[in-house]
Amino acid sequence: MKVMARLCRNVLNVKCLKYVVMTLTLWTTMMIGFYAKSWGITMMSLLEWEQVESQSALPNTKQKCIHPQLLINDSTMTRHLRTLSPEKCPDELEWVYVENGTVRFTKLAVSRFKGMSCSFIPLYRDGDYNVKWGRPILNIKNGFRIPTDFFRVYCSSVSRTFNGLFAGVAHTEERAERKDLPMDEGFGGLGIAILGFDSMSRMSWLRRLKKTREYFHGELGAIELEEHNVLGDGTTAVMFPMLTGKFEWELPDARRFFPNATTLDDFPFIWNDLKKFGYLTSWCNAENITAPFNWRMLGFKNQPTDFYSRPFFMVAKPYQVYVGRSRKLKMKKYCIGSRTYSQVWLNYFKDIFVSYPNKRKFLLHFLVDMSHDDNNLITMMDLDIRDVVKFLYDNNYLNNTLLILMGDHGARYDKARLTWAGKMEERIPYFSLLFPKWFQKKYPEAMANVRKNSKRLTTPFDLYETFRDFIHFTGTGNGDVSRRGISLFKEIPLERSCEQADIAAHWCACLASKKVNLKEDIYASTALSVAMDTINNLTSQYRDICENLSVFQVKDAIKMETRKDVLRFSNTDSVGGIYNITFKAKNQNLMSLYQLTFSTVPGMALYEVTVVHDILRNHFFLSEKEISRINKYGDTSSCILNKNRQLRQYCYCSKQTSSWGINLF
């Protein structure tokens, strides 16, 4: 090692230090592995501990927030990994198909079904919770131009009938003739198109969408935000900051069953501002019941965007295909006719480009079914996602559009979620951006900052500020850490912290952590009592229907505090290409956080909470925003739905069909 150190000083190469560190790490790992076998310790548990502690080994000594180095082959995560074959839907079921805004008859149907006659039945939105079918257009011809995006086609022949549900992009006067206003202060009308997938962490994406990533990142050069951090629990905690620049509680109350709650029509969505400049807009979510703005919110009174797929997916379920005979009917859950759910969703996205190639666009399409409950399902559409991206790129549709592939957060209802790696992955979603080549050449400083920021702490607030730059570009330079949102076109300072980015400690993946024993750490025990008191207080006014909960088992207890190297860090100096780090400061922790995972009875609910301990005043505090229910609860909270749906994760109804009401994964 002395030889290597002397070589580093002589060569004056910073990379040499990395070589030394790697060599030491390899030697240490080998020794740990040897003794682990002797002590009966599994290597995976040691690796998990190493990941926590490795936060102190800063790759850049000035960077305040460093996410843990998660492992793509972490056995605690890969043991749940499965690669599924794409769903095969029966081809012979379809008599017609949609192409570039027209209905086309299949050659098979024309040749097989004599006297074939087809009618077009348009589907209309009637608010966010109802639809209505329009008057049929009879006896349509091959190549019929569709007047609406969503519709049924009913066909009959001498011997058979066909009834299919379809989605396409209609050519309408309002869309085609929308005037593009000058955008000299922005990027001249550069579009934004986003494909989002529920519950996809960065690591899950790398494990399950290999072909998509190999093409998008590896071949096309898309930039991945490696230190991207969630801001809260669930999809809306991502969507509101990204689309409005605000937390949910900073916006008008839109929650169901709450007095004076309003719809989301007047929310300051970025798509409203872009529409004024001629952008065609879309919000297309392929799930009608648990849609982010409808599950616990009132949704929209008026259609919020030009393209809005909610009516289609509200009526899609009856059109799922059944295969087989008599009692052995088997439902193809992911098929609508001869097309998979994902193909219908992706093709609608693609068809917007084909139908309106020269129009400015802000498109946000979000898929839930193929990843929310089981990340493995998304492996069925890996090729479909890649092929759509390839089609758009090869046909030059991305020459005037920034394409983003993203997850909103990691898996929240998986068994792996209870592990340390699972908790970290939940907080680090996948996010990747592909800019047109001309943009990269025209704005080299902005692109240099985007690349730097790919390894800095980023949040959805930063995306909102980035989107604002498309309207009025505020330049490059250094970002202001006093602002919680910083455009990616500005350099995000190395000293940025979770507090400055407005990330609650509960969701900050930058924290150093260590496991604690409640019997040995009296403060951890107190934190658990505070957590139970807080949860029970939330349902106290409904005690006639909701049980008082008590702790059944503590599954995990982690103490989170500022990293030791951060507390002791004084300064750095560069001598001979080696960073000399001085650790002379004597700062003390004034605040600790306890992240507790525990089950409760009755009902066997699983909670994860972060309790703040103000050490100086010996005060404990728990905010409701830092309580997460991490297992499914089914019908065990049905009694509270019509009274206060927001409390469903805390309420176990007194009247249950089962004495324990166990609802595990």
Tab-separated table of all heavy atoms in Angstrom, residues 178-184 188-189 275-279 360:
chain	number	residue	atom	x	y	z
A	178	ARG	N	-54.770	25.225	-33.588
A	178	ARG	CA	-54.326	25.995	-32.430
A	178	ARG	C	-53.060	26.779	-32.803
A	178	ARG	O	-52.099	26.217	-33.311
A	178	ARG	CB	-54.052	25.090	-31.231
A	178	ARG	CG	-53.622	25.863	-29.983
A	178	ARG	CD	-53.563	24.960	-28.786
A	178	ARG	NE	-54.871	24.367	-28.508
A	178	ARG	CZ	-55.063	23.329	-27.708
A	178	ARG	NH1	-54.032	22.767	-27.099
A	178	ARG	NH2	-56.271	22.850	-27.509
A	179	LYS	N	-53.080	28.052	-32.534
A	179	LYS	CA	-52.015	28.932	-32.966
A	179	LYS	C	-50.813	28.839	-32.044
A	179	LYS	O	-50.937	28.908	-30.828
A	179	LYS	CB	-52.520	30.380	-33.020
A	179	LYS	CG	-51.525	31.363	-33.626
A	179	LYS	CD	-52.131	32.748	-33.720
A	179	LYS	CE	-51.133	33.726	-34.340
A	179	LYS	NZ	-51.713	35.097	-34.439
A	180	ASP	N	-49.641	28.689	-32.651
A	180	ASP	CA	-48.392	28.688	-31.891
A	180	ASP	C	-47.925	30.124	-31.686
A	180	ASP	O	-47.618	30.832	-32.655
A	180	ASP	CB	-47.310	27.910	-32.635
A	180	ASP	CG	-47.594	26.417	-32.700
A	180	ASP	OD1	-48.419	25.955	-31.894
A	180	ASP	OD2	-47.004	25.741	-33.555
A	181	LEU	N	-47.868	30.552	-30.427
A	181	LEU	CA	-47.376	31.890	-30.131
A	181	LEU	C	-45.849	31.886	-30.077
A	181	LEU	O	-45.234	30.864	-29.775
A	181	LEU	CB	-47.946	32.379	-28.798
A	181	LEU	CG	-49.469	32.532	-28.723
A	181	LEU	CD1	-49.861	33.058	-27.348
A	181	LEU	CD2	-49.989	33.451	-29.814
A	182	PRO	N	-45.219	33.029	-30.366
A	182	PRO	CA	-43.753	33.092	-30.312
A	182	PRO	C	-43.240	32.721	-28.917
A	182	PRO	O	-43.815	33.102	-27.901
A	182	PRO	CB	-43.458	34.557	-30.635
A	182	PRO	CG	-44.649	35.024	-31.393
A	182	PRO	CD	-45.832	34.294	-30.802
A	183	MET	N	-42.147	31.957	-28.902
A	183	MET	CA	-41.540	31.545	-27.629
A	183	MET	C	-40.040	31.830	-27.670
A	183	MET	O	-39.210	30.969	-27.401
A	183	MET	CB	-41.816	30.069	-27.346
A	183	MET	CG	-43.298	29.734	-27.219
A	183	MET	SD	-43.588	28.065	-26.606
A	183	MET	CE	-43.137	28.237	-24.888
A	184	ASP	N	-39.695	33.058	-28.021
A	184	ASP	CA	-38.287	33.440	-28.133
A	184	ASP	C	-37.577	33.398	-26.782
A	184	ASP	O	-36.359	33.248	-26.713
A	184	ASP	CB	-38.174	34.836	-28.735
A	184	ASP	CG	-38.734	34.895	-30.154
A	184	ASP	OD1	-38.720	33.834	-30.820
A	184	ASP	OD2	-39.183	35.970	-30.580
A	188	GLY	N	-38.231	27.950	-28.185
A	188	GLY	CA	-38.868	27.965	-29.492
A	188	GLY	C	-39.974	26.950	-29.667
A	188	GLY	O	-40.308	26.592	-30.798
A	189	GLY	N	-40.552	26.472	-28.573
A	189	GLY	CA	-41.656	25.519	-28.682
A	189	GLY	C	-41.241	24.069	-28.572
A	189	GLY	O	-41.966	23.173	-29.010
A	275	LYS	N	-50.381	25.351	-22.881
A	275	LYS	CA	-51.481	25.372	-23.852
A	275	LYS	C	-51.691	26.772	-24.424
A	275	LYS	O	-52.057	26.939	-25.595
A	275	LYS	CB	-52.756	24.862	-23.184
A	275	LYS	CG	-53.912	24.623	-24.140
A	275	LYS	CD	-55.066	23.941	-23.429
A	275	LYS	CE	-56.190	23.618	-24.411
A	275	LYS	NZ	-57.317	22.902	-23.728
A	276	LYS	N	-51.439	27.789	-23.616
A	276	LYS	CA	-51.595	29.174	-24.077
A	276	LYS	C	-50.621	29.506	-25.206
A	276	LYS	O	-50.862	30.427	-25.992
A	276	LYS	CB	-51.380	30.140	-22.908
A	276	LYS	CG	-52.410	30.007	-21.798
A	276	LYS	CD	-52.038	30.906	-20.610
A	276	LYS	CE	-53.023	30.707	-19.452
A	276	LYS	NZ	-52.637	31.502	-18.257
A	277	PHE	N	-49.529	28.769	-25.283
A	277	PHE	CA	-48.531	29.004	-26.323
A	277	PHE	C	-48.704	28.044	-27.509
A	277	PHE	O	-47.824	27.959	-28.367
A	277	PHE	CB	-47.130	28.870	-25.746
A	277	PHE	CG	-46.737	30.014	-24.850
A	277	PHE	CD1	-46.990	29.967	-23.494
A	277	PHE	CD2	-46.129	31.149	-25.378
A	277	PHE	CE1	-46.641	31.024	-22.657
A	277	PHE	CE2	-45.770	32.211	-24.554
A	277	PHE	CZ	-46.040	32.157	-23.194
A	278	GLY	N	-49.820	27.344	-27.549
A	278	GLY	CA	-50.114	26.481	-28.686
A	278	GLY	C	-49.832	25.015	-28.486
A	278	GLY	O	-50.018	24.209	-29.414
A	279	TYR	N	-49.386	24.614	-27.307
A	279	TYR	CA	-49.088	23.203	-27.053
A	279	TYR	C	-50.370	22.361	-27.039
A	279	TYR	O	-51.392	22.783	-26.472
A	279	TYR	CB	-48.382	23.040	-25.714
A	279	TYR	CG	-46.902	23.341	-25.713
A	279	TYR	CD1	-46.435	24.646	-25.852
A	279	TYR	CD2	-45.964	22.325	-25.570
A	279	TYR	CE1	-45.086	24.935	-25.842
A	279	TYR	CE2	-44.602	22.603	-25.540
A	279	TYR	CZ	-44.169	23.915	-25.685
A	279	TYR	OH	-42.819	24.195	-25.671
A	360	ARG	N	-46.584	21.593	-31.184
A	360	ARG	CA	-45.947	21.554	-29.877
A	360	ARG	C	-46.765	20.644	-28.966
A	360	ARG	O	-47.985	20.623	-29.029
A	360	ARG	CB	-45.874	22.949	-29.284
A	360	ARG	CG	-45.077	23.941	-30.113
A	360	ARG	CD	-45.286	25.359	-29.619
A	360	ARG	NE	-44.499	26.324	-30.380
A	360	ARG	CZ	-44.612	27.641	-30.246
A	360	ARG	NH1	-45.486	28.150	-29.377
A	360	ARG	NH2	-43.859	28.444	-30.974
